[in-house]
Amino acid sequence: MEFQLGDRIRIEKDNVEYEGIVMPSTTHHIVLKMSNGYNVGISPEDANIILLQKVAKDLSAPDAFGTKKSTKDKLPKVSILSTGGTIASKIDYRTGAVTASFSADNILRTIPELTEIADLSGKAVYNILSENMRTEYWEELARAVAEEIKNGADGIIIAHGTDTMMYTAAALAFMVRTPVPIVFVGSQRSADRPSSDNVMNMICAAKVAVSDIAEVCVVMHGSESDDMCAIHRATKVRKMHTSRRDAFRSINSEPIGFVEYPTGEIHTHLEYTKRSSQQLELRGSFEPKCALLKFTPGASPDIISYYLDAGYKGIVIEGTGLGHVSHEWVPMIERATSMNIPVVITSQCLYGRVCGRVYDTGRDMLKAGAIEGEDMLPETALVKLMWALKMSDDPDAVKKIMSQNIAFEINERSLE
């Protein structure tokens, strides 16, 4: 039985029937998108395959993804920089674990549709699972991005593990002023799993990379189905689920927009920085000795003392509610600020804005020198503080930087 991407088929195997739309597959399995939104991978061996409906347009053709067929030299030039992660990983059948083992070239081979969207080149900057990310890797990646842009890239795609993608994306948003799109993309499930999201995420990322959105952003599944990807601002995005394909959410902000799949059409909802509206610039680096602390009821202020004695240069605290800690923590916050070590207050609530002027404890924290983190995500505040401490060693200047909106990390007004 011959069929193609987009056809509706029924597979009868082992007395079970599976019906759905044929999806891209990187293994010998046939991958079906079923009506319940889930993908299933079925070996064609000893299976009865029935064609139910031909697709109106050949989805394996480039123009089905919203791209006109064109010669390679007329397509935008996009660089794929691989850092590792699930999108560049596969199952190691010796251990049963997922390992980072694919290069950027593997991504191009397994998703040939990308070559019809842009003139692509790719290289591995490093090849790690994202839990092994370090601040010096952020700096190395920023330099690699800048080099690709200097060499004529019209857009950048960064393949990255999802667990710490929000940290790296925020780091590049602060460090790189870009005239072209810089798009982070990952996948929750590796390429050799039937429910992998790598193909759709990569294709949508490529569409954004050749768009007019010249910002650092994260492009990932926008729903449980394979119907769209969301375009999140780098400083406003957070991974909110351990395993769902639509794990990423924009916090205290709408996404910039969405990419329809498979058409590739982009719909934007926010104002964004336009292509070529600013010059390429690398700004600063990152101070690794900063800590992100979570206040909990009864937690000892000695936690702060530990980091001060260990030579840390900055502290971000996830307080409760509007950004509170117990009164016992206030003297230790004052000790830190008296040592010219900035303390930034954010909220465990994630949504909303901190405000230290409502309750006595908040006012005491402000008197002790704490800096309000506005509506920044705790992770974004940490990355920004790391960056600010390398931009200036003057405590007043650092406080001013932390209070300024540098890369869309602070909204002037809180969203309801």
Side-chain angles (χ1 to χ4, degrees):
M1 167 64 63
E2 290 194 5
F3 54 86
Q4 64 187 23
L5 296 180
D7 288 348
R8 177 173 289 277
I9 65 173
R10 179 186 300 126
I11 301 178
E12 299 171 350
K13 182 168 182 175
D14 298 331
N15 297 319
V16 179
E17 290 187 356
Y18 307 89
E19 182 177 323
I21 304 295
V22 180
M23 300 293 292
S25 174
T26 58
T27 70
H28 74 285
H29 287 71
I30 301 170
V31 177
L32 296 182
K33 168 63 66 179
M34 298 187 294
S35 59
N36 61 9
Y38 284 91
N39 289 3
V40 61
I42 306 159
S43 171
E45 297 175 7
D46 301 321
N48 181 33
I49 303 173
I50 303 167
L51 178 62
L52 300 177
Q53 182 180 0
K54 291 290 293 181
V55 67
K57 181 182 282 188
D58 182 359
L59 288 187
S60 64
D63 58 358
F65 293 94
T67 305
K68 294 180 180 179
K69 294 182 180 179
S70 175
T71 58
K72 187 175 182 180
D73 59 358
K74 292 182 180 179
L75 292 172
K77 297 183 183 296
V78 172
S79 297
I80 299 180
L81 302 180
S82 176
T83 67
T86 303
I87 197 164
S89 298
K90 64 180 181 179
I91 295 292
D92 183 341
Y93 289 102
R94 297 170 302 149
T95 64
V98 175
T99 59
S101 58
F102 281 5
S103 68
D105 289 340
N106 290 116
I107 295 174
L108 300 179
R109 284 195 294 269
T110 56
I111 312 176
E113 295 88 353
L114 293 173
T115 61
E116 300 296 339
I117 297 173
D119 177 4
L120 292 151
S121 62
K123 68 178 182 180
V125 181
Y126 30 81
N127 195 22
I128 60 173
L129 295 176
S130 72
E131 57 265 31
N132 297 317
M133 192 60 64
R134 302 170 64 90
T135 55
E136 57 262 38
Y137 297 165
W138 296 343
E139 296 168 13
E140 181 183 359
L141 180 60
R143 290 191 293 268
V145 166
E147 188 65 26
E148 294 299 313
I149 296 173
K150 289 177 184 176
N151 289 336
D154 298 306
I156 305 291
I157 297 174
I158 300 172
H160 197 288
T162 60
D163 284 359
T164 64
M165 184 189 293
M166 54 195 175
Y167 292 93
T168 307
L172 262 65
F174 291 118
M175 190 171 173
V176 183
R177 287 177 61 89
T178 177
V180 305
I182 299 174
V183 186
F184 279 80
V185 67
S187 65
Q188 288 284 80
R189 299 167 193 177
S190 58
D192 45 4
R193 295 185 187 274
S195 60
S196 177
D197 50 342
N198 74 322
V199 171
M200 176 178 151
N201 289 351
M202 257 297 184
I203 290 172
C204 291
K207 296 301 295 186
V208 177
V210 300
S211 75
D212 199 37
I213 304 172
E215 294 188 16
V216 183
C217 56
V218 171
V219 172
M220 293 287 290
H221 258 61
S223 73
E224 292 183 81
S225 298
D226 290 326
D227 56 353
M228 65 175 178
C229 281
I231 310 168
H232 303 283
R233 278 214 159 105
T235 55
K236 286 297 188 184
V237 67
R238 196 175 199 268
K239 185 175 180 179
M240 299 295 286
H241 196 281
T242 58
S243 57
R244 276 174 54 142
R245 296 187 302 170
D246 61 338
F248 282 77
R249 294 283 189 275
S250 288
I251 308 296
N252 291 323
S253 173
E254 290 183 79
I256 294 173
F258 295 90
V259 186
E260 288 187 3
Y261 185 84
T263 66
E265 186 174 351
I266 295 176
H267 304 275
T268 58
H269 302 297
L270 300 179
E271 294 289 329
Y272 56 84
T273 306
K274 300 288 177 41
R275 178 182 289 274
S276 301
S277 63
Q278 57 187 13
Q279 297 294 315
L280 174 66
E281 181 185 355
L282 284 182
R283 304 176 295 179
S285 56
F286 300 94
E287 169 54 61
K289 299 206 76 172
C290 290
L292 175 57
L293 310 183
K294 191 182 191 79
F295 171 77
T296 58
S300 171
D302 291 343
I303 297 171
I304 298 178
S305 180
Y306 166 81
Y307 285 99
L308 300 183
D309 295 342
Y312 273 66
K313 308 299 184 183
I315 295 172
V316 176
I317 297 176
E318 282 189 30
T320 58
L322 291 168
H324 293 138
V325 296
S326 73
H327 68 277
E328 296 174 330
W329 278 44
V330 175
M332 198 58 69
I333 291 174
E334 187 171 16
R335 179 191 166 197
T337 59
S338 68
M339 296 169 61
N340 292 328
I341 297 172
V343 178
V344 180
I345 307 299
T346 62
S347 176
Q348 300 168 20
C349 297
L350 303 183
Y351 287 95
R353 188 179 226 90
V354 301
C355 182
R357 293 172 295 281
V358 177
Y359 297 101
D360 287 344
T361 302
R363 292 175 181 270
D364 291 341
M365 292 163 65
L366 292 178
K367 289 179 183 177
I371 302 168
E372 291 178 302
E374 304 293 344
D375 67 337
M376 281 189 286
L377 284 162
E379 299 87 356
T380 298
L382 175 67
V383 174
K384 185 178 182 180
L385 182 58
M386 290 174 164
W387 177 74
L389 286 167
K390 286 293 188 176
M391 294 296 286
S392 177
D393 56 7
D394 176 22
D396 290 334
V398 171
K399 182 175 182 178
K400 184 177 180 180
I401 292 171
M402 292 304 298
S403 301
Q404 290 177 332
N405 181 30
I406 305 294
F408 303 102
E409 73 280 8
I410 296 174
N411 288 319
E412 185 178 345
R413 285 185 169 185
S414 299
L415 298 179
E416 294 183 354

PDB file of all heavy atoms in Angstrom, residues 36-37 59 110 115 117 126 135 169 201 225 230-231 274 277 302 334 343 353 367 380 409 416:
ATOM      1  N   ASN A  36      -7.501  11.732  18.839  1.00  0.00           N
ATOM      2  CA  ASN A  36      -7.399  12.167  20.233  1.00  0.00           C
ATOM      3  C   ASN A  36      -6.191  13.070  20.464  1.00  0.00           C
ATOM      4  O   ASN A  36      -5.933  13.510  21.586  1.00  0.00           O
ATOM      5  CB  ASN A  36      -7.346  10.962  21.181  1.00  0.00           C
ATOM      6  CG  ASN A  36      -6.155  10.057  20.933  1.00  0.00           C
ATOM      7  OD1 ASN A  36      -5.245  10.379  20.174  1.00  0.00           O
ATOM      8  ND2 ASN A  36      -6.155   8.892  21.561  1.00  0.00           N
ATOM      9  N   GLY A  37      -5.420  13.340  19.388  1.00  0.00           N
ATOM     10  CA  GLY A  37      -4.282  14.243  19.495  1.00  0.00           C
ATOM     11  C   GLY A  37      -2.958  13.567  19.743  1.00  0.00           C
ATOM     12  O   GLY A  37      -1.906  14.187  19.632  1.00  0.00           O
ATOM     13  N   LEU A  59       2.033  16.654   1.320  1.00  0.00           N
ATOM     14  CA  LEU A  59       2.694  17.327   2.436  1.00  0.00           C
ATOM     15  C   LEU A  59       4.198  17.117   2.453  1.00  0.00           C
ATOM     16  O   LEU A  59       4.897  17.728   3.253  1.00  0.00           O
ATOM     17  CB  LEU A  59       2.091  16.841   3.767  1.00  0.00           C
ATOM     18  CG  LEU A  59       0.689  17.332   4.077  1.00  0.00           C
ATOM     19  CD1 LEU A  59       0.314  16.905   5.481  1.00  0.00           C
ATOM     20  CD2 LEU A  59       0.563  18.816   3.914  1.00  0.00           C
ATOM     21  N   THR A 110      17.556  14.374   9.110  1.00  0.00           N
ATOM     22  CA  THR A 110      16.297  13.773   9.557  1.00  0.00           C
ATOM     23  C   THR A 110      15.088  14.661   9.295  1.00  0.00           C
ATOM     24  O   THR A 110      13.956  14.191   9.343  1.00  0.00           O
ATOM     25  CB  THR A 110      16.356  13.458  11.071  1.00  0.00           C
ATOM     26  OG1 THR A 110      16.676  14.647  11.793  1.00  0.00           O
ATOM     27  CG2 THR A 110      17.402  12.401  11.360  1.00  0.00           C
ATOM     28  N   THR A 115      15.498  22.195   4.443  1.00  0.00           N
ATOM     29  CA  THR A 115      16.322  22.678   3.336  1.00  0.00           C
ATOM     30  C   THR A 115      15.502  23.425   2.294  1.00  0.00           C
ATOM     31  O   THR A 115      16.077  24.074   1.409  1.00  0.00           O
ATOM     32  CB  THR A 115      17.043  21.503   2.658  1.00  0.00           C
ATOM     33  OG1 THR A 115      16.075  20.596   2.125  1.00  0.00           O
ATOM     34  CG2 THR A 115      17.935  20.778   3.650  1.00  0.00           C
ATOM     35  N   ILE A 117      13.126  25.632   3.310  1.00  0.00           N
ATOM     36  CA  ILE A 117      12.757  26.888   3.961  1.00  0.00           C
ATOM     37  C   ILE A 117      13.912  27.876   3.925  1.00  0.00           C
ATOM     38  O   ILE A 117      13.707  29.084   3.785  1.00  0.00           O
ATOM     39  CB  ILE A 117      12.326  26.627   5.428  1.00  0.00           C
ATOM     40  CG1 ILE A 117      11.081  25.735   5.461  1.00  0.00           C
ATOM     41  CG2 ILE A 117      12.061  27.933   6.164  1.00  0.00           C
ATOM     42  CD1 ILE A 117      10.674  25.294   6.849  1.00  0.00           C
ATOM     43  N   TYR A 126      28.620  22.897  21.214  1.00  0.00           N
ATOM     44  CA  TYR A 126      28.970  21.852  22.173  1.00  0.00           C
ATOM     45  C   TYR A 126      27.866  20.816  22.119  1.00  0.00           C
ATOM     46  O   TYR A 126      26.834  21.018  21.468  1.00  0.00           O
ATOM     47  CB  TYR A 126      29.174  22.379  23.598  1.00  0.00           C
ATOM     48  CG  TYR A 126      28.351  23.593  23.967  1.00  0.00           C
ATOM     49  CD1 TYR A 126      27.024  23.464  24.350  1.00  0.00           C
ATOM     50  CD2 TYR A 126      28.913  24.864  23.957  1.00  0.00           C
ATOM     51  CE1 TYR A 126      26.270  24.571  24.685  1.00  0.00           C
ATOM     52  CE2 TYR A 126      28.161  25.983  24.294  1.00  0.00           C
ATOM     53  CZ  TYR A 126      26.835  25.819  24.658  1.00  0.00           C
ATOM     54  OH  TYR A 126      26.085  26.915  24.986  1.00  0.00           O
ATOM     55  N   THR A 135      27.724  29.067  32.777  1.00  0.00           N
ATOM     56  CA  THR A 135      27.713  30.448  32.291  1.00  0.00           C
ATOM     57  C   THR A 135      28.738  30.679  31.184  1.00  0.00           C
ATOM     58  O   THR A 135      28.477  31.437  30.248  1.00  0.00           O
ATOM     59  CB  THR A 135      27.985  31.435  33.445  1.00  0.00           C
ATOM     60  OG1 THR A 135      29.219  31.081  34.097  1.00  0.00           O
ATOM     61  CG2 THR A 135      26.862  31.410  34.464  1.00  0.00           C
ATOM     62  N   ALA A 169      18.378  31.128  26.860  1.00  0.00           N
ATOM     63  CA  ALA A 169      17.693  32.108  26.010  1.00  0.00           C
ATOM     64  C   ALA A 169      17.735  33.494  26.644  1.00  0.00           C
ATOM     65  O   ALA A 169      18.002  34.497  25.966  1.00  0.00           O
ATOM     66  CB  ALA A 169      16.249  31.666  25.766  1.00  0.00           C
ATOM     67  N   ASN A 201       8.571  21.216  15.670  1.00  0.00           N
ATOM     68  CA  ASN A 201       9.222  22.337  16.342  1.00  0.00           C
ATOM     69  C   ASN A 201      10.321  22.945  15.474  1.00  0.00           C
ATOM     70  O   ASN A 201      10.451  24.173  15.371  1.00  0.00           O
ATOM     71  CB  ASN A 201       9.823  21.885  17.675  1.00  0.00           C
ATOM     72  CG  ASN A 201       8.770  21.570  18.718  1.00  0.00           C
ATOM     73  OD1 ASN A 201       7.590  21.829  18.517  1.00  0.00           O
ATOM     74  ND2 ASN A 201       9.189  20.983  19.829  1.00  0.00           N
ATOM     75  N   SER A 225      -1.703  19.225  20.428  1.00  0.00           N
ATOM     76  CA  SER A 225      -1.787  18.687  19.081  1.00  0.00           C
ATOM     77  C   SER A 225      -0.675  19.244  18.204  1.00  0.00           C
ATOM     78  O   SER A 225       0.018  20.189  18.574  1.00  0.00           O
ATOM     79  CB  SER A 225      -3.149  19.021  18.463  1.00  0.00           C
ATOM     80  OG  SER A 225      -4.199  18.438  19.211  1.00  0.00           O
ATOM     81  N   ALA A 230       4.190  28.050  19.565  1.00  0.00           N
ATOM     82  CA  ALA A 230       4.180  29.398  20.130  1.00  0.00           C
ATOM     83  C   ALA A 230       5.565  30.023  19.999  1.00  0.00           C
ATOM     84  O   ALA A 230       6.581  29.328  20.054  1.00  0.00           O
ATOM     85  CB  ALA A 230       3.760  29.354  21.595  1.00  0.00           C
ATOM     86  N   ILE A 231       5.574  31.354  19.808  1.00  0.00           N
ATOM     87  CA  ILE A 231       6.822  32.117  19.747  1.00  0.00           C
ATOM     88  C   ILE A 231       6.926  32.910  21.045  1.00  0.00           C
ATOM     89  O   ILE A 231       6.245  33.919  21.234  1.00  0.00           O
ATOM     90  CB  ILE A 231       6.828  33.079  18.542  1.00  0.00           C
ATOM     91  CG1 ILE A 231       6.451  32.347  17.250  1.00  0.00           C
ATOM     92  CG2 ILE A 231       8.191  33.754  18.408  1.00  0.00           C
ATOM     93  CD1 ILE A 231       6.154  33.284  16.096  1.00  0.00           C
ATOM     94  N   LYS A 274      11.999  44.657  14.805  1.00  0.00           N
ATOM     95  CA  LYS A 274      12.014  44.271  13.395  1.00  0.00           C
ATOM     96  C   LYS A 274      13.435  43.971  12.910  1.00  0.00           C
ATOM     97  O   LYS A 274      14.422  44.509  13.416  1.00  0.00           O
ATOM     98  CB  LYS A 274      11.406  45.386  12.539  1.00  0.00           C
ATOM     99  CG  LYS A 274       9.961  45.730  12.895  1.00  0.00           C
ATOM    100  CD  LYS A 274       9.018  44.634  12.450  1.00  0.00           C
ATOM    101  CE  LYS A 274       7.573  44.896  12.840  1.00  0.00           C
ATOM    102  NZ  LYS A 274       7.078  46.217  12.702  1.00  0.00           N
ATOM    103  N   SER A 277      16.676  46.443  12.404  1.00  0.00           N
ATOM    104  CA  SER A 277      16.403  47.714  13.076  1.00  0.00           C
ATOM    105  C   SER A 277      17.470  48.070  14.110  1.00  0.00           C
ATOM    106  O   SER A 277      17.469  49.167  14.646  1.00  0.00           O
ATOM    107  CB  SER A 277      15.030  47.677  13.748  1.00  0.00           C
ATOM    108  OG  SER A 277      14.997  46.691  14.767  1.00  0.00           O
ATOM    109  N   ASP A 302      20.527  31.498  57.940  1.00  0.00           N
ATOM    110  CA  ASP A 302      21.905  31.035  57.755  1.00  0.00           C
ATOM    111  C   ASP A 302      22.155  30.609  56.306  1.00  0.00           C
ATOM    112  O   ASP A 302      23.315  30.516  55.875  1.00  0.00           O
ATOM    113  CB  ASP A 302      22.216  29.865  58.683  1.00  0.00           C
ATOM    114  CG  ASP A 302      22.267  30.281  60.142  1.00  0.00           C
ATOM    115  OD1 ASP A 302      22.379  31.500  60.396  1.00  0.00           O
ATOM    116  OD2 ASP A 302      22.173  29.403  61.016  1.00  0.00           O
ATOM    117  N   GLU A 334      20.282  42.702  54.984  1.00  0.00           N
ATOM    118  CA  GLU A 334      21.007  43.950  55.227  1.00  0.00           C
ATOM    119  C   GLU A 334      22.510  43.703  55.284  1.00  0.00           C
ATOM    120  O   GLU A 334      23.309  44.518  54.792  1.00  0.00           O
ATOM    121  CB  GLU A 334      20.522  44.595  56.521  1.00  0.00           C
ATOM    122  CG  GLU A 334      21.097  45.979  56.754  1.00  0.00           C
ATOM    123  CD  GLU A 334      20.435  46.691  57.925  1.00  0.00           C
ATOM    124  OE1 GLU A 334      19.753  46.014  58.727  1.00  0.00           O
ATOM    125  OE2 GLU A 334      20.601  47.914  58.026  1.00  0.00           O
ATOM    126  N   VAL A 343      20.789  41.945  46.527  1.00  0.00           N
ATOM    127  CA  VAL A 343      19.764  40.940  46.810  1.00  0.00           C
ATOM    128  C   VAL A 343      18.503  41.348  46.063  1.00  0.00           C
ATOM    129  O   VAL A 343      17.938  42.415  46.328  1.00  0.00           O
ATOM    130  CB  VAL A 343      19.483  40.825  48.319  1.00  0.00           C
ATOM    131  CG1 VAL A 343      18.371  39.796  48.573  1.00  0.00           C
ATOM    132  CG2 VAL A 343      20.755  40.448  49.080  1.00  0.00           C
ATOM    133  N   ARG A 353       3.389  40.692  40.129  1.00  0.00           N
ATOM    134  CA  ARG A 353       4.499  41.600  40.379  1.00  0.00           C
ATOM    135  C   ARG A 353       4.806  41.644  41.870  1.00  0.00           C
ATOM    136  O   ARG A 353       3.895  41.615  42.685  1.00  0.00           O
ATOM    137  CB  ARG A 353       4.099  42.992  39.880  1.00  0.00           C
ATOM    138  CG  ARG A 353       5.177  44.030  39.875  1.00  0.00           C
ATOM    139  CD  ARG A 353       4.650  45.352  39.332  1.00  0.00           C
ATOM    140  NE  ARG A 353       5.559  45.949  38.374  1.00  0.00           N
ATOM    141  CZ  ARG A 353       5.524  45.716  37.071  1.00  0.00           C
ATOM    142  NH1 ARG A 353       4.578  44.940  36.559  1.00  0.00           N
ATOM    143  NH2 ARG A 353       6.405  46.258  36.260  1.00  0.00           N
ATOM    144  N   LYS A 367      14.169  48.708  53.154  1.00  0.00           N
ATOM    145  CA  LYS A 367      15.085  49.492  53.977  1.00  0.00           C
ATOM    146  C   LYS A 367      16.436  48.795  54.114  1.00  0.00           C
ATOM    147  O   LYS A 367      17.475  49.451  54.245  1.00  0.00           O
ATOM    148  CB  LYS A 367      14.482  49.717  55.360  1.00  0.00           C
ATOM    149  CG  LYS A 367      13.293  50.678  55.376  1.00  0.00           C
ATOM    150  CD  LYS A 367      12.736  50.813  56.788  1.00  0.00           C
ATOM    151  CE  LYS A 367      11.507  51.708  56.815  1.00  0.00           C
ATOM    152  NZ  LYS A 367      10.909  51.793  58.176  1.00  0.00           N
ATOM    153  N   THR A 380      14.950  34.439  35.180  1.00  0.00           N
ATOM    154  CA  THR A 380      15.386  35.589  34.388  1.00  0.00           C
ATOM    155  C   THR A 380      16.120  36.596  35.258  1.00  0.00           C
ATOM    156  O   THR A 380      17.145  37.168  34.854  1.00  0.00           O
ATOM    157  CB  THR A 380      14.181  36.256  33.705  1.00  0.00           C
ATOM    158  OG1 THR A 380      13.563  35.321  32.814  1.00  0.00           O
ATOM    159  CG2 THR A 380      14.590  37.488  32.934  1.00  0.00           C
ATOM    160  N   GLU A 409      12.119  41.966  29.792  1.00  0.00           N
ATOM    161  CA  GLU A 409      11.931  41.140  30.986  1.00  0.00           C
ATOM    162  C   GLU A 409      10.998  41.778  32.002  1.00  0.00           C
ATOM    163  O   GLU A 409      10.483  41.092  32.889  1.00  0.00           O
ATOM    164  CB  GLU A 409      13.290  40.832  31.630  1.00  0.00           C
ATOM    165  CG  GLU A 409      13.965  41.991  32.354  1.00  0.00           C
ATOM    166  CD  GLU A 409      14.692  42.964  31.434  1.00  0.00           C
ATOM    167  OE1 GLU A 409      14.566  42.838  30.193  1.00  0.00           O
ATOM    168  OE2 GLU A 409      15.408  43.844  31.956  1.00  0.00           O
ATOM    169  N   GLU A 416      -3.373  41.290  34.170  1.00  0.00           N
ATOM    170  CA  GLU A 416      -4.361  40.723  35.082  1.00  0.00           C
ATOM    171  C   GLU A 416      -4.513  39.237  34.819  1.00  0.00           C
ATOM    172  O   GLU A 416      -4.311  38.766  33.718  1.00  0.00           O
ATOM    173  CB  GLU A 416      -5.708  41.442  34.906  1.00  0.00           C
ATOM    174  CG  GLU A 416      -5.667  42.891  35.322  1.00  0.00           C
ATOM    175  CD  GLU A 416      -7.017  43.559  35.210  1.00  0.00           C
ATOM    176  OE1 GLU A 416      -7.966  42.926  34.701  1.00  0.00           O
ATOM    177  OE2 GLU A 416      -7.127  44.725  35.630  1.00  0.00           O
TER     178      GLU A 416
END
